[in-house]
Amino acid sequence: QVQLQESGPGLVKPSQTLSLTCTVSGDSMDSGDYFWTWIRQPPGKGLEWIGYIYFTGRAYYNPSLKSRLRFSIDASKSQFSLKMNSVTAADTAVYYCARGSSSSSSRGTWFDPWGQGALVTVSS
Amino acid sequence: QSVLTQPPSVSGAPGQRITISCAGSSSNVGAGYAVHWYQQLPGEAPKLLIYGNNNRPSGVPDRFSGSKSGTSASLAITGLQTEDEADYYCQSYDVSLSCSIFGGGTKLTVL
């Protein structure tokens, strides 16, 4: 049974870089079948897709965040990571990592399972 | 404002049937992209409920079902139970925005 766990600092200062890592257990990250995904949820608000990275290192970013994002993946460590620079209070959110899947019979990608989430607060 | 539109809240009594709508457009649901649904219990991470419009992952009760028609989709829950109280989100892909998108979420209250 695959499990994902986010880790990283819970407090980041404005204008600095937010860094998170997701550790995957129970599954091989280099099978090529999945999209390793980041999603966030501001307190009391809805979900926002940040992007995902494929095992090859090819990344797909939300266009509204793309200029501030960089993903990386280390399948040998079963980890993938997110870096977001120039953060502001608007980036305060619970950040989730998730496994994205798709099928030949269904256009698009769904996310399952999800990590428990990591709250990141941007404040001085 | 979300690209996929959901009602902010719905309610029903135990045992009843409710539906949650998810309205999209010709650049997402209407373009043939599938709709997926998630349940978020209070204080927990979202959990996949329906994928590919109408498929249930193993372990999800058959009280939950999904459908899609044109530019909209719906989640139906029959035999409402108190433990169904949660936020529900629809999700798809938008070809104009080039990204996965979520609805704004619907809070289900079981009276």
Side-chain angles (χ1 to χ4, degrees), chain B residues 93-104:
Chain B
Y93 181 85
D94 191 284
V95 65
S96 296
L97 298 174
S98 296
C99 69
S100 288
I101 52 174
F102 288 92

Side-chain angles (χ1 to χ4, degrees), chain A residues 1 6 26 32 49 71-72 100 116:
Chain A
Q1 179 183 352
E6 306 86 353
W49 178 77
F71 293 166
S72 60
Q116 66 183 31

Side-chain angles (χ1 to χ4, degrees), chain B residues 6-108:
Chain B
Q6 299 179 233
S9 63
V10 298
S11 62
Q16 284 189 334
R17 176 182 186 272
I18 63 97
T19 61
I20 298 173
S21 60
C22 175
S25 69
S26 58
S27 65
N28 41 69
V29 182
Y33 288 94
V35 177
H36 321 290
W37 292 90
Y38 302 87
Q39 177 193 59
Q40 187 175 31
L41 297 170
E44 296 190 8
K47 167 193 164 186
L48 181 68
L49 209 54
I50 298 287
Y51 69 95
N53 301 322
N54 54 16
N55 300 289
R56 282 186 309 276
S58 61
V60 173
D62 59 6
R63 301 187 296 107
F64 296 90
S65 63
S67 63
K68 174 189 164 183
S69 178
T71 59
S72 295
S74 290
L75 172 71
I77 309 174
T78 59
L80 266 184
Q81 299 181 2
T82 55
E83 55 260 41
D84 297 334
E85 274 207 350
D87 292 325
Y88 292 83
Y89 293 89
C90 60
Q91 176 247 319
S92 186
Y93 181 85
D94 191 284
V95 65
S96 296
L97 298 174
S98 296
C99 69
S100 288
I101 52 174
F102 288 92
T106 299
K107 184 175 182 61
L108 169 63

Side-chain angles (χ1 to χ4, degrees), chain B residues 1-15:
Chain B
Q1 192 166 353
S2 302
V3 178
L4 298 176
T5 302
Q6 299 179 233
S9 63
V10 298
S11 62

